[in-house]
Amino acid sequence: VQFGGTYTKEGTLNFLTQSQKDEYWLAIDSVKPTSENFLIVKNEYLIYSPNLKIAYTGKTTDSQKNILMIFSNLSKKNLKADYLIKYIGQEKVNNEIFTWKLEITPKQVKIFKTLELWIDKDGMAIQSKATENNGDWTNVMMSNIQKNAVIHAKVFTIKLPKDTKIIKN
């Protein structure tokens, strides 16, 4: 809505929950259209744009974490406590993966108005569409999914070059 078009990024996403600490680690490494790295480790985020040699860092807020916490804890009990859940129907993602589509609406004001989830036969969300309160939306579609793969700790680190401008928020 903000710029009247679509913007597509391609890359890899690694997601790891830390069940004892009720936190998660997230690494998104975009390769197209430009290189960009995004990390959340514990309660800190880092966004790095190598082409611009700029990094943004700061503490994540609870509202920013809500959307990803849904993926780490998709239990019926936890979802029903905080969200209204509507079954939309059955759909195929990419005309090949059979899914059940859900629409999730927060009971209290969050950073998103609605969240649509496409859930596969194993109960994993393989596609999501988050619509923000201003009408903007982000669609994330997973492909080449590797469930329960070994993820090395180095995935959740970025070595910034010395000439990187760091902006703390």
Side-chain angles (χ1 to χ4, degrees), residues 119-138:
I119 311 295
D120 73 5
K121 65 180 175 46
D122 298 322
M124 181 174 180
I126 62 165
Q127 183 172 329
S128 69
K129 179 180 178 182
T131 302
E132 298 175 30
N133 294 313
N134 67 359
D136 287 351
W137 54 270
T138 300

Side-chain angles (χ1 to χ4, degrees), residues 8-19:
T8 301
K9 286 186 177 185
E10 292 181 28
T12 60
L13 179 146
N14 286 283
F15 183 75
L16 183 64
T17 59
Q18 303 290 318
S19 58

Side-chain angles (χ1 to χ4, degrees), residues 141-156:
M141 186 170 59
M142 310 287 183
S143 62
N144 192 24
I145 297 170
Q146 299 173 21
K147 298 176 184 178
N148 300 317
V150 174
I151 301 175
H152 299 283
K154 69 180 180 180
V155 168
F156 301 102

Side-chain angles (χ1 to χ4, degrees), residues 59-122:
K59 295 238 181 244
T60 56
T61 65
D62 287 341
S63 63
Q64 290 169 322
K65 293 187 287 185
N66 278 334
I67 225 166
L68 288 172
M69 291 305 284
I70 288 172
F71 292 105
S72 68
N73 197 358
L74 274 176
S75 76
K76 187 176 179 180
K77 178 183 172 188
N78 289 338
L79 282 173
K80 281 192 167 189
D82 296 326
Y83 303 93
L84 299 172
I85 304 166
K86 180 180 176 185
Y87 174 68
I88 302 297
Q90 300 174 357
E91 286 189 19
K92 281 190 175 181
V93 172
N94 275 345
N95 289 324
E96 60 186 55
I97 302 170
F98 177 82
T99 65
W100 292 273
K101 185 177 176 183
L102 303 175
E103 181 182 80
I104 298 172
T105 306
K107 290 181 180 178
Q108 297 180 10
V109 176
K110 305 267 187 205
I111 60 168
F112 64 94
K113 182 171 43 176
T114 60
L115 177 66
E116 295 172 67
L117 295 175
W118 287 259
I119 311 295
D120 73 5
K121 65 180 175 46
D122 298 322

Side-chain angles (χ1 to χ4, degrees), residues 24-27 37-48 55-61 64-65 68 156 158 160 166-169:
Y24 61 89
W25 293 7
L26 172 71
N37 306 99
F38 176 76
L39 288 178
I40 294 178
V41 176
K42 299 181 182 178
N43 291 317
E44 302 273 334
Y45 71 86
L46 175 68
I47 303 169
Y48 174 53
Y56 298 90
T57 185
K59 295 238 181 244
T60 56
T61 65
Q64 290 169 322
K65 293 187 287 185
L68 288 172
F156 301 102
I158 297 174
L160 299 174
I166 299 173
I167 301 171
K168 295 186 180 202
N169 294 327

